[in-house]
Structures are given as C-alpha cells and as structure tokens.
C-alpha cells in the first residue's frame, strides 16, 4: 500500500499495515527526505520539490510512484488529495485499489457547496450587513484552511481573497463560499463506516468544539450532553451516506446550537480525531477501511461503545503570540505510559516551515469523562516536550478549565479565555535550578575554595522576562540565599523551600534549558551589543514566504494601526502582518515570493 500523505497520518496507516502483513510505500518531498514516515516505510519514492503544489498535491506523480514501487493500493490519509475525486479516479484507472469512497461520492460531498445543496441547504449568494457575521469557507478540504469569520462588510472582499489563496495552496482548489456564522454553538460530528453490501454504521459522536483558527485542538467521544439529539444526528448522518452510496470511513459534521443540529459538511476521508472513536469502540478504523476496500461485509450492528476518550493535538506554535507556528529541532517527546501517542516525529527531528505544525496527538481512554480528562491532562503535564514553543500548557489548562470539565464549551471557547489560558505561570525556582545544574556540570574540582567566594551570577530568559540568579560555591557545596540545596548535579536539582522539598529535572541543549516543564534561554554573561531596530519596525514572527502585499502599498503611504500590510505563508496557513502604529510607511522590504527567517525586517512604519 502507498500512503499519499506524510507525517503523523502516514505513520498511523503504516502501523496498521505492518500489523496486517501489508508492505508499505511512502512518498516524500525534498523537505521530508528524512522524515519519520519515510524512514518507517518499506519503500520510499521522492516527489521533487518542497511546496505541496509540487509534491503531495501532484496526483499524477503519486500514481506513477505507486506503479513504479509495485503497490496494489493507495490510502490518501487526510488533507492534500484525500477528498479529490479526480485523484481517486486516477488511482482506480491505474488498476490500483482506492482505500476510500467512490469518486462520485467524493464529488457529491467533498465540495461543501454541493453537499449543502444535497442536504437542502443553500449558501449565501449575496452578503448584506444584515447577514453578518458570516463564515467564508473553502469548498474543498478542511483543517481550518481557507476559513475566515467576517464581522464587518468592508472586510469581506479581503477575506475572500485570503481564503481563496489559502485554499488553493492547501488543496489545489480555490473555490470558497459564504454561510451564516452561528456563534455559541458546539461542533459535533458522527463517524460513519459503510461497506459495499448496504450496511452503514454510525460509530458514535465526537465533540470538537475547542478550536483555534477553525482547526480543532481537543476532541472527545462521545460528545457529552446531547441527550435525545444523538439519534437525530445518527439518522441525518446515515441519510447523508446513503444519499451518495457512500463506501468506507467518513464523518458528518454539525453545528449544534439551541438544541438543534445544523449540517456543516461531510468529510469523505478519515478524520484527524479518529483515535477517540477507535478507543471507545475498540476498533481499528484503518484496518476496517482496508477490509471494506477488499469487499468484506460489516456486521449488521457496530460494536458496543465503552467509556470515554479525549484527544489533544500538540502543536509547535505560540498560542500567546497569535498562534504563530514555530520551527526548530524537536529534541525529545515522550508521554507517560497508558497514553496513546500518534506522531510523525522522533527525537532530534527538525520541524520545518512547509507543513502543518502538529507534532502529535495524545489520547486517553477511561471509564468516565472526568477520569479521561484527568488522565490526559496529568499525562501532558508530565510529558517531556523539548524543542520549540508548543501549546502543551494551553492543552493542560484547557482540559482543566471549569467550562470544559462541565461540558459547557462551544466554538468560541478560546476567544473568551485565551488570555487566561496563556498567562505566564513559569516556576520561579526554575532559573535557580538551571544555574545550579549548569554550575555542577561545569565544575571540575567540586567548586569550593578556602576563602569565602563571592556570589556567582547567571541570567535566563523565562516567559519573556529576564531573571538573574545568584549562588555560591562553599565547602558544603552549592548554596543559594533562602533556599536549601539538598542535591545538585548536571541533570537533577533538589531544593528545600519553606520545609518542602522539590525536584527539578534539568536538560540543556546549547542555550536552551528545560527545567521540568519550564523552558528557559541561557543569556550570555557579557551580552554583545546589538543594533537596535528603528521604532515601528515590522519583524517576521516566523519563518515563511511573503505571499501577498496589500494592494497599492508603497513607501510613503499612510497606514493605520492594525491595518494589514502583508501576508506570510508558513506551515500551510496565511498569517497577517499588520501596522504596529498609525503613521507613514517609510520602508518596505517584503515582496511576494521572498522567503524570510524569524526576525527578518519586513517594513518600517514611522508613527505620526
């Protein structure tokens, strides 16, 4: 089997293939030449280039790769070409088995505009002020790409342009549509599985309301508190599947508000969040996809659901910095036993700019919802995540938030609580522990002297704030004012504060230091002078490519604070760069197609 995808989902499908005795073929871009999915496959085929449009969206190259590698079947995963009917036809026309629904079903449902018409729902043809707020949405694909909430009519044209560009880059299809935006609703979906013999399973519900940028962050099964609405959702989902003679795994998505279910779309593929359904029903959805594609018949009724499962997506991103994606080396990623971890990375792998910033999915299953939430939040808190900034702390706080634990959440959760969920809460003793571990690691002769020594000083950056710590080498070892140092070596520091002993595990990678779950940056003792940027400088918040500059923007133009000036594309998403102040644009260094690193100077606005 060839998996026409990359990263976590390719590794996930390969795992089932290995267990079932099926040999595997990976495809990879140049950026993914040494990626985990490439390394674990039996065979790998290069797709020249790095951009999705050159590689994972080239169906012709993927079919050629499958034939050249001797594959019998193709699994599309999710994203990329997974909902592309032409690609499905090309696979079938090449004599290969397609692990997915018939192309006709994909055509009917993969375009959200056609899917809504099939379910008797019309998109907005003309938007007026009375229709606001509205949601601009890509007709193809998902994952939050090509989606924009518009609250002011004047913003509609610009958001339509941005959504089209993002959808074209992610899915190879720039079609978008506009629909009413229902606020305060829950995102609920039903997993379906259908065979070629007329059986359609509704495999429970999932709640995916916690989202950022319309992309899911935490998902659970079953969706809590639906009561009598569950059977309605099942009926609508089965009806949608039968309407297009569906075969295989798929998901029907709804917005639940005021006790009513509003159809959103049908995803004709495996969902990112499928592991929570697998955990609750005790099944392997990928294995079932393969069996259905081979013509096997499903049982008349699905297996019985047991317990509750919760999944959290770990992203390399900064939630406090407008969710900016992060790059760098993932030094280490581990979770405690008993937690399922689906990932496309191993220790030491680089996190690049070309693809989605999701590092892994952590899944907990327990008899009750409360136990599953507690198990997952505790595991994430104890997880080792060494590398770029991630959303790990946000996930832990979200899972423990009163509104979420009480199942009162909706899709506006992060709009309301993001500031609280991202407030700095670093350990105040982490810098001291880092300094003591560093001192032990660098001392060759025990560090003591006959005469009392002066205090040693080290500086660290923690949660955006500089911290200076002091300690001394004495005959008794390392000491610090107000704290008893029980033990200190290069990896473990034990401090006693107010009669309470605390352990700190310390790991250092060059100037990056991790103390338990707290990340610090070691600052030089004598910092080099650096050139200051002019006030009003716009610096690239992430590495990426300049894809657009605001129409007519030129040096000398008057701009307003918050006005969009240009857009960067990084990790398959567009990121808006706005004027920091109201004034005059005095310099512009960005042009479409320019690749920039973090901190690159893009423009300068002189305040007026």
């Amino acid at each position: 089997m060839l998996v026409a995808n990359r990263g976590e989902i390719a590794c996930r499908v390969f795992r089932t293939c290995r267990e079932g005795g099926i040999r595997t073929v990976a495809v990879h871009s140049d950026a993914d030449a040494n990626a985990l999915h490439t390394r674990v496959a039996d065979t790998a085929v290069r797709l020249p280039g790095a951009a999705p449009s050159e590689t994972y969206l080239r169906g012709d190259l993927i079919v050629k790769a499958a034939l050249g590698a001797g594959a019998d079947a193709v699994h599309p995963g999710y994203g990329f070409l997974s909902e592309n009917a032409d690609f499905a036809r090309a696979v079938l026309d090449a004599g290969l088995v397609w692990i997915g629904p018939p192309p006709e079903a994909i055509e009917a449902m993969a375009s959200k505009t056609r899917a809504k018409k099939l379910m008797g729902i019309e998109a907005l043809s003309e938007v007026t002020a009375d229709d606001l707020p509205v949601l601009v949405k890509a007709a193809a694909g998902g994952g939050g790409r090509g989606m924009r909430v518009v609250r002011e009519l004047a913003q509609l044209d610009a958001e339509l342009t941005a959504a089209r560009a993002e959808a074209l880059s992610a899915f190879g299809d720039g079609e978008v549509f506009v629909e009413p935006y229902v606020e305060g609703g829950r995102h609920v979906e039903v997993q379906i599985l259908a065979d070629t013999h007329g059986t359609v399973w509704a495999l429970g519900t999932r709640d995916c309301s916690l989202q950022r940028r319309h992309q899911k962050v935490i998902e659970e099964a079953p969706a809590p508190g639906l009561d009598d609405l569950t059977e309605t959702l099942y009926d609508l989902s089965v009806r949608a599947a039968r309407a297009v003679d569906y075969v295989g795994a798929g998901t029907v998505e709804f917005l639940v508000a005021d006790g009513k279910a509003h159809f959103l779309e049908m995803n004709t593929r495996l969902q990112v969040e499928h592991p929570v359904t697998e955990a609750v029903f005790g099944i392997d959805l990928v294995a079932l996809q393969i069996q259905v594609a081979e013509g096997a018949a499903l049982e008349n009724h699905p297996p019985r659901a047991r317990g509750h499962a919760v999944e959290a997506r770990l992203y390399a991103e900064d939630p406090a910095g407008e969710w900016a994606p992060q790059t760098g080396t993932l030094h280490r990623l581990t979770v405690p036993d008993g937690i399922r971890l689906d990932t496309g990375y191993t220790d030491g792998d680089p996190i690049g700019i070309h693809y989605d910033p999701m590092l892994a999915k952590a899944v907990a299953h327990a008899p009750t919802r409360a136990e599953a939430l507690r198990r997952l939040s505790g595991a994430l808190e104890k997880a080792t995540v060494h590398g770029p900034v991630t959303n790990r702390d946000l996930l832990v706080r979200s899972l423990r938030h009163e509104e979420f634990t009480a199942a009162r959440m909706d899709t506006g959760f992060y709009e309301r609580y993001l500031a609280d969920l991202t407030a700095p809460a670093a350990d105040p003793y982490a810098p001291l522990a880092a300094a003591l571990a560093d001192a032990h690691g660098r001392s060759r002769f025990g560090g003591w002297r006959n005469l009392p020594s002066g205090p040693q000083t080290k500086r660290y950056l923690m949660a955006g704030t500089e911290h200076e710590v002091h300690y001394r080498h004495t005959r008794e070892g390392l000491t610090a004012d107000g704290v008893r140092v029980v033990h200190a070596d290069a990896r473990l520091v034990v401090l006693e504060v107010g009669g309470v002993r605390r352990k700190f595990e310390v790991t250092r990678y060059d100037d990056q230091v991790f103390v338990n779950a707290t990340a610090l940056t070691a600052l030089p003792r004598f910092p080099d002078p650096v050139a200051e940027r002019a006030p009003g400088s716009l610096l690239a918040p992430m590495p990426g490519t300049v894809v657009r500059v605001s129409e007519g923007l030129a040096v000398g133009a008057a701009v307003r604070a918050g006005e969009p000036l240009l857009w960067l594309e990084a990790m398959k998403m567009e990121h808006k760069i706005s004027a920091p102040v109201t004034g005059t644009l005095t310099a512009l260094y960005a042009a479409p197609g320019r690749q920039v690193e973090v901190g690159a100077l893009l423009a300068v606005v002189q305040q007026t």
Side-chain angles (χ1 to χ4, degrees), residues 29-191:
S29 67
D30 290 337
D32 278 340
N34 197 41
L36 180 61
H37 79 277
T38 303
R39 303 198 303 266
V40 300
D42 295 312
T43 307
V45 181
R46 175 186 176 226
L47 304 175
S53 60
E54 302 172 325
T55 55
Y56 299 110
L57 289 173
R58 286 287 302 274
D60 57 334
L61 296 182
I62 293 173
V63 171
K64 182 180 177 182
L67 295 174
D72 306 298
V74 173
H75 192 298
Y78 52 70
F80 295 129
L81 295 172
S82 62
E83 295 179 283
N84 187 302
D86 289 337
F87 177 57
R89 284 196 184 94
V91 170
L92 293 169
D93 290 345
L96 300 165
V97 175
W98 169 247
I99 311 297
E104 295 76 20
I106 296 176
E107 240 165 13
M109 285 295 187
S111 170
K112 297 169 178 59
T113 50
R114 290 191 291 272
K116 286 180 177 292
K117 288 180 180 178
L118 189 65
M119 299 295 286
I121 304 168
E122 292 290 337
L124 292 174
S125 57
E126 184 176 348
V127 179
T128 68
D130 292 336
D131 297 316
L132 299 175
V134 295
L135 182 66
V136 178
K137 204 169 185 181
R145 298 172 187 86
M147 293 179 67
R148 298 288 192 280
V149 176
V150 180
R151 301 183 184 277
E152 297 179 19
L153 204 58
Q155 298 175 347
L156 181 60
D157 287 344
E159 297 295 9
L160 283 168
T161 299
R164 289 187 186 108
E166 197 169 87
L168 184 63
S169 174
F171 314 117
D173 184 343
E175 182 188 355
V176 299
F177 65 97
V178 180
E179 66 182 12
Y181 180 59
V182 180
E183 299 194 80
R186 290 172 56 189
H187 187 119
V188 176
E189 59 192 31
V190 175
Q191 174 72 57

Side-chain angles (χ1 to χ4, degrees), residues 338-375:
I339 299 298
R340 172 174 169 176
L341 189 73
D342 285 12
T343 182
Y345 292 91
T346 54
D347 296 353
D349 283 350
I351 302 166
I353 67 171
H354 299 288
Y355 310 111
D356 188 274
M358 189 176 76
L359 301 179
K361 305 179 310 195
V363 185
H365 180 235
T368 67
R369 182 174 188 266
E371 290 174 283
L373 295 182
R374 187 163 57 242
R375 183 172 295 177

Side-chain angles (χ1 to χ4, degrees), residues 449-460:
R449 55 193 294 181
N450 287 330
L451 299 175
S453 65
Q456 301 292 310
T457 302
K458 291 190 182 295
R459 297 163 50 246
Y460 295 92

Side-chain angles (χ1 to χ4, degrees), residues 549-550 553-555 565-566 585-591 594 601-604:
V549 175
S550 186
L553 186 68
V555 173
L565 302 183
L566 55 100
L585 185 70
T586 59
L588 180 62
Y589 302 102
R594 179 190 170 194
L601 182 61
L602 302 173
V604 178

Side-chain angles (χ1 to χ4, degrees), residues 180-213:
Y181 180 59
V182 180
E183 299 194 80
R186 290 172 56 189
H187 187 119
V188 176
E189 59 192 31
V190 175
Q191 174 72 57
I192 61 166
L193 186 70
D195 63 18
T196 56
H197 305 277
T199 300
V200 181
W201 284 357
L203 282 165
T205 57
R206 296 189 290 250
D207 189 292
C208 312
S209 297
L210 266 61
Q211 305 176 4
R212 53 73 163 144
R213 293 187 168 184

Side-chain angles (χ1 to χ4, degrees), residues 127 133 168 172 183 206 255 281 306 327 336 396 430 503 543 547 556 574:
V127 179
L168 184 63
E183 299 194 80
R206 296 189 290 250
L255 188 68
F281 283 89
R306 286 182 171 84
T327 59
V396 173
K503 293 192 299 184
V547 289
E574 282 197 1

Side-chain angles (χ1 to χ4, degrees), residues 186 188 205 222-234 256 259 407:
R186 290 172 56 189
V188 176
T205 57
L226 293 180
D227 301 323
D228 297 337
L229 195 58
T230 299
E231 289 301 322
T232 300
L233 295 172
Y234 287 175
V256 173

